[in-house]
Amino acid sequence: MSLLRLVPRQLLRHPLRTLLTIGSLTVAIFLLCILRSLVTTLDATATTARNDRLWVQSAVSLFVGMPAWYPDRIAQVDGVQSVARWQWFGGYYQDPSNFFAQFAVDPQKVVDMYPELIVVEGSADAFVAGRNCCMIGRGIANDFGWKVGDIAPITGALFPHPDGADKAWELEVAAIYEPGARNFDDRTLFFHWKLFEETLTTPEDSPGVGAMVVRVKDDVDPSVVMGAVDDLFMDGPQRVQTTTESEFQAQFVSMFGNIPFFVSAIGGGVLAAVLLACINTMLMAAREQRREVGVLKALGFSDARVGSVLLMQSLFLTLVGGGMGMLLAKGIEPGVVAATSSFMPGFLIERETYLMAFIITVLAGVVAGLLPAWSTRKLTVVAALGARD
Amino acid sequence: MNEGILLQGVTKTYSRGGEELRVLDNLDLTMDEGRFYALMGPSGSGKTTLLNLVGGLDLPDSGSVQVAGQDIRSLRGAALSAWRARSVGFVFQGFNLIPVLSALENVALPLALTPLSRKERRRHALAALDLVDLGDRAGHRPGQLSGGQEQRVAIARAIVTDPKVLLCDEPTGDLDRAAADQVLALLQRLNGEMKKTVLMVTHDAAAAARAQRIVHLDKGRLGSIEEVQAEQAAGAKP
Amino acid sequence: MRGIAFSYHLRSLFVRRSATFLTVLGIGATVAVVAGVLALQQGFERLYTDAGRADLAVFLRPGATGEGDSIFNRDRGRRLINTVPEIAVGDDQQPLASMELYLAVRLRRVSSGGETNVPIRGVQPATFGIREGEITVLEGRQFRPGQDELMVGRSLLGRIRGCELGGTIVLNTTPFLVVGIFESTGPSGSEIWGDLDRILECLERTGPSRILAQLKPGSDIAAISARLKNDKVVPAQVISEKESLSSQTEMLSAVLKFLGAFLGVIMGIAAVFTATTTMLAALADRTHEIGILLAAGFRPVGIALGFLFESLILGLLGGLAGCLLVWPINGIETGTTNFQTFTEVAFGFRVTPMVLTVSILFALVLGLLGGGLPAWRAAHLAPVKALGRR
Ligand SMILES: Nc1ncnc2c1ncn2[C@@H]1O[C@H](COP(=O)(O)OP(=O)(O)O)[C@@H](O)[C@H]1O
Ligand SMILES: [Mg+2]
């Protein structure tokens, strides 16, 4: 008869309490995993982007375009393989709350530069061939029920259709893609620069070029190209800022400001709740088991062995609870991915997050177990056996 | 060398609310090996305190306590625990079985401190249960046993490691007459057949009469030691 | 009778004080988290809603969702100002209307050196007439029309490079001198202001984003909007400034409210479980007492209500603990990007009476839910069995 056999027996003594404690831990560890992953996902967005693609934007503002002749000028810089134009379109489907990203682009170049865009329905060639064709992500195809061949009517909030603000831009879905990399979302629409440029007739509507993606030749140091491009327009007419793709994405991440910090702070509150739940249960258990502690000590069991019975109970509670919390998080992950993909693509619970959750689980178990175990050390047999109840 | 129980000049005081309470006062007491002693005295006279000192559950303020040749005051912490596991068995008034363990598991518990194999432990525990006539109740939890049965399981647990000394604190206090008789007979048998030194605290004169000697304690001092008539003790046997 | 029951339950909470304490803290932590998120939401929303005026009209390009994606031709904007009769007239007999350019420019943070998007607003002199009393220059002076001068909102001070008296902010290639620091209620406290025409030119913008105008008393904004919507020369949509500001809070407010609710539910489950555990232990401790009460003729319902009362007290104490925990964040300044305008705004946490009320109610609900099962069990104890248990 090993003392450890006492552990499951004691836990089963109050099955409901055991279940409730495990339940508390389950939801708390689940929440920790999700919160932590929100932060790591934001960070990863910036770090997993490719660095052989450079982004050129106006150095003045996110919302200011560059003159239309810039792309040709940049294409002449040493080491540049090709330059693709991107313009944020800022439209919506039917209602402004149906938010997703649309870009006017040079279609062939984008298809070539972005092997991450994996076309799963229709074809990239069809997208490139048709002037009013577009390529959309699986996410928006599912949300709005668009299939290849359908017309996607996009209202231009930023670029109203010249025939009237109420008139939508009509784009034919020629390809549906799924992202082949984590940092890529599945809720973007690409359409032809040509259509964009030719539809907007008045000069004051024309925004110039919002951004450019520069593909650097294979054997060239991107930072040299970055410097060269920036220097070209140092004295105007419009200064530009060239960054790697990861830095480009990092600027959007940094827009969240202190929010990631708050999310972490909330995690602290959750942690406190986890600990309190465990300690509460273990103190109750220890109180009930005082008499038994006394008996074990009288029989000659060492403090360490008697304490380990309590410690093991605590660890069992937290490990089962924490394990279930992690499983729950894993199970719910696809749902969170869908819910957050529009503003934060690629939600993923990383291995490190599970490791962190595991460590917290063990620590909570140890703290909640050691506390009562420690107090039994000081408990004399006489006092323990004298205790009524 | 005395292999029994030897107390010399034992003093124990408790302080309660700033007030010193001298529970045992310079007590000298010798108990011979292999004898059955009853310890009597009014409530609060220090019987339990004395028993705890003999069992090494508590330490005296001064004086020496020797049990089976061992000076208890020379032991500390883990060594004291180990000595206790080896040398004394406890039987309490409230049985103090572990409710979530079966009778057999309760009895086997002290064996977890020995190097015995799992199989041997089980064999020893079953033997001890058989000795108290409860071999057929091995799988029962304490809650499924009567008080008398519980106390016999507790006795089985106390002797499973084959200690020289059995310390019983009012073992029949919570039992009815018939169950008490069974427990007392068992203690007598353990003393007679297995040569255990038994020290039993009791209130009950009838129970005390089953012992060989009665030690009277009064306000922390030794009253008298009375030799129980052999025929009286024998006659009390069922 | 009732008084006895009341103190009986309070005493019971005190006797079991370590469990009471831990449970109260558990509920408190949950409440504090939810209250913290709500305080953030309140701080953000109130920044916008407290500031907006109902008598100011904002003219935007039809179809624009805000001033960020609105643009007017400068001449036509002038014309619009001159042709809308509802626009009030100032002491100088000029219309109280100002064309404004709004643009988020890239500037660097003082702390990290990282870039952020700071809103810059080019305004016309009439703005100061319209905003009389709303804008206070704390240090330095106003910028002068036609000059390369700026004044910066106080929230930017120390956060954004160049935003200090005498500092320099480069717009594209033109350096502007910071000549003033101003304070304002509302989000414009995080903005940079300068002369409309200088900024239009330096940023190579073709025209202003919106027109801000003070209306004559009794003007009907909706009617103006309906009239101008399909205007042949200068089509425009018109909303009040109040509406314009509050519409900018919808997205982040909704996200924060969702976050608060989500955290409340998930952490609430854990807190309810803890409270239930505690109350079940209280029940186990008192089973014998309850047996005596039942035997003495007390009604089970009364005993169940007693347990509910006790756990409500736990909830209340937890709510108070949560409010105490969250109180210190009141007023702490923070910043995030308003993704509707893509600019960074600074605001403080606001622990408003609404936040406190919601917190306490939430805590009471947690307590009530935690007491439910134990109360039910207490009501269904069989007296004989309860008495039998020691
Ligand atoms: N841990 C303690 N602290 C203070 N006083 C104690 C303690 N243990 C026992 N006492 C007191 O010592 C006296 C003797 O107790 P005890 O040995 O249990 O008596 P008995 O077993 O003879 O009834 C009693 O008055 C008791 O109240
Ligand atoms: Mg006693």
Side-chain angles (χ1 to χ4, degrees):
Chain A
M1 162 70 213
S2 148
L3 264 195
L4 289 187
R5 195 180 293 186
L6 269 172
V7 172
R9 301 278 178 86
Q10 297 287 20
L11 288 167
L12 283 175
R13 197 168 177 178
H14 294 279
L16 186 58
R17 184 173 75 200
T18 299
L19 278 181
L20 289 171
T21 311
I22 288 176
S24 296
L25 265 132
T26 300
V27 295
I29 293 293
F30 157 77
L31 192 54
L32 275 180
C33 288
I34 299 292
L35 290 176
R36 176 76 197 141
S37 299
L38 289 176
V39 176
T40 59
T41 301
L42 273 182
D43 290 346
T45 310
T47 53
T48 57
R50 296 257 299 254
N51 281 334
D52 56 352
R53 291 187 298 240
L54 305 179
W55 281 74
V56 184
Q57 321 160 71
S58 159
V60 176
S61 165
L62 257 183
F63 306 94
V64 170
M66 294 162 286
W69 52 271
Y70 271 29
D72 290 339
R73 183 70 194 81
I74 292 172
Q76 293 165 16
V77 171
D78 272 349
V80 170
Q81 192 172 57
S82 68
V83 180
R85 293 172 290 184
W86 287 63
Q87 175 61 49
W88 170 257
F89 185 66
Y92 55 85
Y93 170 57
Q94 287 180 342
D95 188 272
S97 63
N98 288 331
F99 170 84
F100 61 98
Q102 310 102 29
F103 293 101
V105 296
D106 293 312
Q108 184 65 56
K109 286 179 178 168
V110 165
V111 168
D112 291 344
M113 281 186 193
Y114 282 87
E116 294 100 319
L117 295 167
I118 298 166
V119 175
V120 289
E121 275 175 51
S123 77
D125 290 344
F127 162 56
V128 173
R131 195 183 76 121
N132 63 341
C133 284
C134 66
M135 171 161 68
I136 62 175
R138 159 73 64 210
I140 39 181
N142 289 348
D143 280 5
F144 305 134
W146 290 337
K147 296 180 294 297
V148 170
D150 286 356
I151 296 293
I154 309 295
T155 309
L158 211 49
F159 300 104
H161 200 281
D163 297 348
D166 295 339
K167 184 167 162 47
W169 293 57
E170 297 192 334
L171 307 169
E172 184 190 330
V173 177
I176 295 175
Y177 75 86
E178 279 177 10
R182 199 186 142 192
N183 59 308
F184 233 85
D185 75 345
D186 64 349
R187 298 179 57 82
T188 300
L189 179 151
F190 299 95
F191 69 104
H192 284 233
W193 186 275
K194 246 187 148 57
L195 176 82
F196 173 66
E197 196 173 48
E198 289 169 12
T199 307
L200 296 172
T201 43
T202 54
E204 78 196 36
D205 286 340
S206 169
V209 183
M212 287 165 271
V213 187
V214 173
R215 178 76 163 85
V216 177
K217 285 181 184 151
D218 283 341
D219 50 354
V220 172
D221 179 1
S223 60
V224 174
V225 176
M226 279 158 53
V229 173
D230 284 353
D231 287 347
L232 268 185
F233 310 108
M234 210 41 166
D235 301 316
Q238 171 98 240
R239 282 189 303 121
V240 299
Q241 172 174 322
T242 310
T243 57
T244 60
E245 188 160 83
S246 51
E247 282 175 73
F248 175 76
Q249 294 193 341
Q251 73 180 340
F252 296 103
V253 173
S254 76
M255 283 185 194
F256 283 94
N258 287 335
I259 295 283
F261 169 75
F262 291 134
V263 170
S264 307
I266 290 167
V270 181
L271 261 183
V274 174
L275 254 184
L276 291 169
C278 298
I279 294 177
N280 192 25
T281 295
M282 284 317 297
L283 286 183
M284 284 176 191
R287 205 163 63 101
E288 281 162 12
Q289 291 167 32
R290 249 170 96 94
R291 200 154 247 285
E292 282 137 78
V293 164
V295 174
L296 291 176
K297 283 191 170 187
L299 292 178
F301 285 95
S302 65
D303 291 343
R305 290 188 74 172
V306 175
S308 74
V309 174
L310 284 165
L311 183 61
M312 291 298 168
Q313 289 176 51
S314 174
L315 276 174
F316 177 87
L317 287 174
T318 58
L319 285 177
V320 172
M324 287 187 14
M326 290 184 235
L327 282 179
L328 187 62
K330 180 97 202 129
I332 240 155
E333 192 178 2
V336 183
V337 171
T340 58
S341 66
S342 63
F343 59 93
M344 196 174 75
F347 179 86
L348 177 80
I349 305 176
E350 287 176 6
R351 205 178 287 252
E352 284 76 18
T353 302
Y354 285 122
L355 185 66
M356 174 208 77
F358 177 74
I359 291 173
I360 286 174
T361 299
V362 172
L363 282 183
V366 169
V367 171
L370 275 187
L371 219 68
W374 189 255
S375 69
T376 61
R377 262 180 70 93
K378 280 186 265 163
L379 184 65
T380 64
V381 182
V382 180
L385 291 182
R388 284 283 136 197
D389 183 45
Chain B
M1 179 108 208
N2 192 317
E3 289 287 300
I5 300 166
L6 187 64
L7 291 90
Q8 277 175 325
V10 168
T11 300
K12 179 79 188 171
T13 47
Y14 288 119
S15 57
R16 209 172 2 179
E19 209 181 310
E20 290 274 295
L21 182 67
R22 185 163 285 221
V23 180
L24 294 178
D25 189 7
N26 202 11
L27 187 78
D28 294 320
L29 177 62
T30 308
M31 290 184 264
D32 298 333
E33 186 188 359
R35 291 278 167 155
F36 187 162
Y37 289 86
L39 184 57
M40 291 192 77
S43 193
S45 55
K47 306 184 293 292
T48 300
T49 305
L50 177 65
L51 208 64
N52 288 341
L53 291 180
V54 173
L57 295 179
D58 211 347
L59 293 173
D61 300 329
S62 61
S64 80
V65 180
Q66 266 186 39
V67 178
Q70 175 69 50
D71 179 4
I72 292 180
R73 292 196 72 185
S74 68
L75 297 171
R76 282 277 179 284
L80 185 60
S81 292
W83 171 81
R84 204 156 58 219
R86 223 172 32 243
S87 315
V88 290
F90 289 96
V91 179
F92 306 96
Q93 177 176 4
F95 323 139
N96 281 336
L97 294 178
I98 303 218
V100 295
L101 297 179
S102 70
L104 183 66
E105 288 166 336
N106 264 292
V107 174
L109 203 51
L111 297 175
L113 290 163
T114 65
L116 294 179
S117 74
R118 179 186 281 261
K119 239 167 105 183
E120 282 174 313
R121 281 185 283 180
R122 191 181 153 78
R123 198 168 53 78
H124 277 73
L126 270 174
L129 267 183
D130 278 336
L131 198 68
V132 300
D133 288 329
L134 286 173
D136 53 338
R137 297 302 185 104
H140 289 223
R141 294 268 177 101
Q144 299 164 315
L145 299 172
S146 75
Q149 289 169 333
E150 274 194 80
Q151 192 60 298
R152 276 147 62 203
V153 173
I155 292 172
R157 183 177 66 185
I159 58 165
V160 74
T161 53
D162 198 22
K164 287 224 163 63
V165 178
L166 267 186
L167 302 174
C168 315
D169 195 351
E170 311 212 24
T172 58
D174 281 359
L175 301 179
D176 60 33
R177 193 73 257 164
D181 277 339
Q182 259 185 323
V183 165
L184 290 167
L186 179 57
L187 289 176
Q188 278 183 318
R189 215 169 84 219
L190 292 173
N191 167 248
E193 292 172 12
M194 304 180 75
K195 303 286 172 251
K196 307 279 180 212
T197 309
V198 179
L199 175 55
M200 175 180 77
V201 168
T202 183
H203 260 104
D204 178 9
R210 307 287 286 262
Q212 293 161 344
R213 286 175 189 163
I214 303 176
V215 179
H216 288 277
L217 207 60
D218 192 17
K219 292 196 192 109
R221 289 169 182 276
L222 195 58
S224 63
I225 301 182
E226 153 190 12
E227 201 80 27
V228 178
Q229 299 306 304
E231 64 271 25
Q232 189 187 342
K237 270 185 191 165
Chain C
M1 188 70 231
R2 184 161 274 193
I4 293 166
F6 186 82
S7 61
Y8 170 78
H9 287 289
L10 289 186
R11 200 168 55 237
S12 143
L13 287 171
F14 179 74
V15 168
R16 309 172 44 75
R17 54 189 169 276
S18 78
T20 299
F21 178 70
L22 290 168
T23 311
V24 164
L25 269 192
I27 295 177
T30 304
V31 169
V33 164
V34 172
V37 174
L38 273 184
L40 189 65
Q41 186 270 338
Q42 284 289 298
F44 173 70
E45 190 177 286
R46 297 285 282 274
L47 177 75
Y48 286 81
T49 54
D50 282 358
R53 275 167 60 183
D55 65 330
L56 291 188
V58 173
F59 294 73
L60 298 171
R61 175 178 61 75
T65 54
E67 58 182 327
D69 55 6
S70 169
I71 188 168
F72 282 100
N73 175 292
R74 197 184 183 298
D75 299 332
R76 289 191 215 168
R78 187 79 249 157
R79 213 167 130 171
L80 184 114
I81 290 175
N82 290 331
T83 53
V84 175
E86 288 92 339
I87 294 178
V89 176
D91 300 337
D92 53 358
Q93 297 313 308
Q94 292 296 310
L96 275 174
S98 162
M99 289 190 275
E100 296 186 348
L101 169 75
Y102 177 86
L103 185 71
V105 293
R106 295 175 188 281
L107 292 176
R108 296 207 170 265
R109 289 199 175 95
V110 169
S111 56
S112 60
E115 263 187 3
T116 182
N117 300 291
V118 180
I120 187 164
R121 190 179 294 280
V123 299
Q124 297 187 297
T127 293
F128 294 100
I130 298 169
R131 296 270 184 212
E132 183 97 60
E134 282 177 71
I135 303 278
T136 323
V137 176
L138 296 175
E139 272 182 73
R141 55 173 173 82
Q142 286 177 12
F143 59 88
R144 282 179 307 223
Q147 300 294 309
D148 291 349
E149 294 177 348
L150 297 170
M151 54 189 219
V152 300
R154 188 169 73 152
S155 320
L156 298 174
L157 216 63
R159 286 206 306 131
I160 304 297
R161 269 193 207 165
C163 287
E164 69 224 345
L165 208 57
T168 302
I169 294 171
V170 179
L171 298 181
N172 194 10
T173 54
T174 314
F176 279 67
L177 184 68
V178 176
V179 298
I181 291 160
F182 70 95
E183 185 177 49
S184 146
T185 53
S188 55
S190 307
E191 293 176 353
I192 298 173
W193 283 22
D195 178 67
L196 172 70
D197 291 302
R198 285 307 300 144
I199 293 178
L200 277 178
E201 190 185 326
C202 294
L203 293 179
E204 301 199 300
R205 306 271 77 200
T206 52
S209 317
R210 71 172 189 182
I211 295 160
L212 184 75
Q214 179 155 355
L215 298 181
K216 291 175 180 156
S219 305
D220 180 358
I221 291 185
I224 308 174
S225 189
R227 193 177 75 224
L228 291 179
K229 182 125 199 222
N230 296 307
D231 191 275
K232 290 284 170 300
V233 189
V234 199
Q237 58 173 345
V238 192
I239 51 176
S240 72
E241 193 207 14
K242 198 172 191 62
E243 202 182 331
S244 162
L245 283 177
S246 61
S247 73
Q248 290 173 22
T249 66
E250 281 160 14
M251 200 160 87
L252 191 55
S253 267
V255 168
L256 289 175
K257 280 178 182 163
F258 172 81
L259 182 67
F262 172 75
L263 291 171
V265 169
I266 304 279
M267 289 189 69
I269 292 175
V272 165
F273 284 179
T274 308
T276 303
T277 304
T278 301
M279 291 307 297
L280 281 177
L283 174 63
D285 272 7
R286 278 186 301 196
T287 299
H288 188 71
E289 280 166 52
I290 292 168
I292 295 171
L293 291 177
L294 286 172
F298 275 81
R299 305 242 330 266
V301 178
I303 287 165
L305 284 179
F307 271 84
L308 277 185
F309 170 77
E310 199 167 314
S311 67
L312 268 179
I313 297 283
L314 275 181
L316 182 66
L317 290 175
L320 294 175
C323 290
L324 277 180
L325 283 173
V326 87
W327 187 253
I329 72 166
N330 189 32
I332 289 182
E333 284 279 324
T334 181
T336 188
T337 295
N338 181 350
F339 282 92
Q340 272 171 289
T341 58
F342 266 98
T343 53
E344 197 173 295
V345 284
F347 53 92
F349 284 86
R350 301 263 303 255
V351 182
T352 58
M354 183 281 245
V355 173
L356 295 177
T357 313
V358 169
S359 300
I360 297 285
L361 286 178
F362 176 53
L364 287 176
V365 168
L366 293 181
L368 202 60
L369 290 176
L373 180 68
W376 189 87
R377 282 204 171 174
H380 288 78
L381 275 180
V384 181
K385 250 179 128 180
L387 275 173
R389 196 118 48 95
R390 191 199 55 77

